[in-house]
Each structure stands twice: as C-alpha cells, then as structure tokens.
Amino acid sequence: MSGPVNTVDAPTAADCSHPSAPCLEVSESREAQVGRIRVRRALPRKGRRMVGAWCFADHMGPADVTENSGLDVGPHPHIGLQTVTWLIDGEALHRDSLGSEQVIKPGELNLMTSGGAVSHAEEATGHYRGTLEGLQLWIALPESTRHGHAVFEHRADLPQAELGGAVATVLLGDFADQVSPARHDSPLVGVDLNLHDSCTVPLNPEWEYALVVMEGAIGLAGKPLPPGKLGYLGQGRSEIRLDIAGPTRALLLGGEPFEDPIVMWWNFVARNREEVDAAYASWANQDDRFGRVRSNLPLIPTKAPFWQPTRPPRQDRS
C-alpha cells in the first residue's frame, strides 16, 4: 500500500516537523482509499509531517481479499524514500522494476529503497484468501543515499525483545539490545509492540517518538490512545509507561530529528518542486527512469502537480 500523499495530508512547501519537548500530542488519522483497501493515515498530517525520518504511516484493513483480488495497486513510481511493509494478518505479493517478486506474510518485512527511482506494484498472491491487515510506512532518505541505486530486501526473521508486559519485534534499527538486520540510512527505530500487560518501554532521549495503535488502546499518563490516532511523544524521554486494559498491538516509531526539509507529492519524497516535476515527467512519458514492472495491473497515472501552469486550449486557426 503505497501512498499517494496529497495536500489534505500535508502542504507541498518544503518543510520539516520540528521536534518538541516531551509531550502527548494526539492527532486524528485520515481515512483514505488506496487500491481496494481502506486505510487510516497517521502520517503525514498537517502540523506533524515527520517523526525522525518516518514520513508516512498507513494502517490498512482489516479487509477481505481473494486469490485474485487483493491490494490491487498497479505499478507506480517512487523517489527519495524507503517503503516498509509489515503485515499483521494475511498475505500480499510485491513486484518491482528490479525484477523482485516476493510474497509477504505476518512476521516478515518487505523493505524497498527507491534511491533515485524505482517502481512497484502490490497484488493478490494467486493463492491466499482471507483477511488482510498491516502497515505501510515510508522513510525519507538522507542526502547521502537518496540519489543512489534502488534495492529490495525481504526479512523473514526479525529479532524480538521481552519487555515484561510485551513482546517487541524490531522492524528497523536497534531496540532493547536487539538489532534488526534490515537496512536503514538514518538513525531510527520501528518496533511492533504486542502488549499483554502494562509495561515500561525504553527510549533514546535524543530522539523523537510516536505511537500508532492498531488494536486495543494504550493509556499514556491517564489519557487514552485508541486506534485511528497518532500519539506524538516528543523528544527527551528515556522511557515511557504504557498502560493497557486488554491485549493491545501498537507500532512505536522513533528517530533522530530529520534536519533536511522535504517536499512530498503523490509518491515522491523530494527536496524541491523541480525534482518532483522531473519525476512526474518521467512517469507521464514512460521513459526509462523508473523501469518496468511485470504486472497485469494497469499503470497508475496522476495529474500534473497543481503548481505547474495550465496550458490554454489550442485554438483552431483554420
């Protein structure tokens, strides 16, 4: 489930979200339709564009899918980001312009680094029928790697840490003395918290953090954080207490504040509108920049960025 982002989610002017002191800033997710699946978009939101290098977070489903109809997101392009796919239930098929074809299942990670250009599709598996639910995340790439080569990796085994009241699966980065083998180009962490009791979670005081609840609810200093909201925790904590009344599943996102202002439009993470214009032109013209995806689904088109001048209708001079 990849994007797209529009001005409802975040303005297109170059900007970065400044971290705050320790806090609990709760914002509503926005419901959106991506392919056949309804999603709740927690990032980006106006006023909270990023958490560390994390710049996009969709909670997709749960939704019923069949062998031949699932995500149904046809080939589309990316620049300047990593896509992170993490399923809670079900199966999905990833195809990309690198030639990758990978089924993902719960407990496994798909990570695609776009570098300067990549395209991919997300499809039904051809064999799985049932419920599909998961998370699609984007990470903004730093200057050092955002123009590099595209790479795809699949991680079937990820490290876990016991926190006394939760099992923490480390998707990216390091957490509670466990280190994910997945690539990350900025100091950050992503952790799936499967909570069965209240517990205290260790944090890096130099980083900023946020929580996205998928199931159940978390109490933070007496305030509830249910599904459908982003709980931004700010910067400067060494730990945080998570109180629960029943089984709860949540995603912890954190990282060093991302200093480079970014421009997000459609499926692109750039530094300015000129970079977006060039990527849009390549996709619209179907030149060789984004390669080709072996998919039976149609290419996803988009209108030109709204800031491009509108050409007047051609006049008949006959």
Side-chain angles (χ1 to χ4, degrees):
M1 297 292 292
S2 296
V5 170
N6 59 36
T7 54
V8 175
D9 302 310
T12 55
D15 188 22
C16 57
S17 299
H18 298 290
S20 74
C23 65
L24 176 56
E25 175 188 285
V26 178
S27 57
E28 294 282 347
S29 297
R30 179 177 75 86
E31 287 202 2
Q33 185 83 23
V34 181
R36 290 188 55 251
I37 307 294
R38 296 294 293 175
V39 302
R40 291 185 289 203
R41 182 158 300 159
L43 276 179
R45 308 300 300 130
K46 291 182 179 178
R48 182 53 55 197
R49 299 284 301 278
M50 303 178 74
V51 178
W54 300 97
C55 61
F56 180 95
D58 270 2
H59 176 197
M60 57 182 178
D64 293 329
V65 299
T66 68
E67 299 88 343
N68 299 310
S69 182
L71 295 177
D72 296 350
V73 180
H76 57 281
H78 287 296
I79 64 169
L81 57 82
Q82 290 178 299
T83 64
V84 180
T85 306
W86 177 251
L87 295 186
I88 298 168
D89 196 5
E91 298 181 15
L93 174 63
H94 165 98
R95 299 180 192 266
D96 63 38
S97 54
L98 302 170
S100 312
E101 294 188 9
Q102 179 64 57
V103 172
I104 183 173
K105 302 177 183 179
E108 301 176 350
L109 183 77
N110 273 3
L111 177 67
M112 185 179 70
T113 302
S114 74
V118 78
S119 57
H120 72 139
E122 293 147 313
E123 309 178 4
T125 63
H127 61 262
Y128 174 78
R129 174 185 290 265
T131 302
L132 183 68
E133 182 178 7
L135 293 153
Q136 176 79 60
L137 311 161
W138 292 358
I139 302 168
L141 289 171
E143 191 64 33
S144 59
T145 60
R146 72 187 188 93
H147 297 296
H149 296 297
V151 180
F152 174 79
E153 61 184 283
H154 174 79
R155 299 292 181 177
D157 296 305
L158 293 169
Q160 294 184 329
E162 295 283 346
L163 298 181
V167 176
T169 303
V170 186
L171 280 58
L172 286 95
D174 61 273
F175 177 83
D177 297 325
Q178 299 295 322
V179 180
S180 169
R183 168 181 169 173
H184 61 288
D185 294 3
S186 298
L188 56 76
V189 72
V191 182
D192 181 340
L193 296 171
N194 199 339
L195 296 112
H196 54 83
D197 200 355
S198 299
C199 66
T200 298
V201 174
L203 303 176
N204 182 339
E206 296 181 359
W207 291 4
E208 58 180 340
Y209 290 89
L211 283 163
V212 179
V213 177
M214 286 89 76
E215 178 185 351
I218 290 176
L220 297 166
K223 298 180 180 179
L225 183 68
K229 299 178 186 291
L230 175 78
Y232 177 71
L233 306 176
Q235 183 183 22
R237 302 177 193 265
S238 60
E239 61 181 32
I240 191 164
R241 175 74 177 178
L242 306 182
D243 294 313
I244 66 168
T248 297
R249 194 82 176 265
L251 182 71
L252 176 70
L253 300 175
E256 183 179 274
F258 196 80
E259 298 298 333
D260 294 344
I262 65 171
V263 172
M264 297 180 67
W265 180 84
W266 196 42
N267 294 305
F268 305 141
V269 175
R271 297 298 188 270
N272 53 58
R273 290 182 174 182
E274 289 74 20
E275 292 178 0
V276 172
D277 288 340
Y280 164 74
S282 287
W283 186 250
N285 296 327
Q286 281 296 289
D287 63 23
D288 293 333
R289 176 176 179 180
F290 291 102
R292 300 290 183 269
V293 182
R294 294 182 56 188
S295 173
N296 292 326
L297 296 174
L299 298 178
I300 296 181
T302 189
K303 296 180 180 178
F306 69 88
W307 58 78
Q308 291 189 6
T310 302
R311 294 180 181 178
R314 185 176 179 179
Q315 299 295 318
D316 187 355
R317 299 175 181 265
S318 60

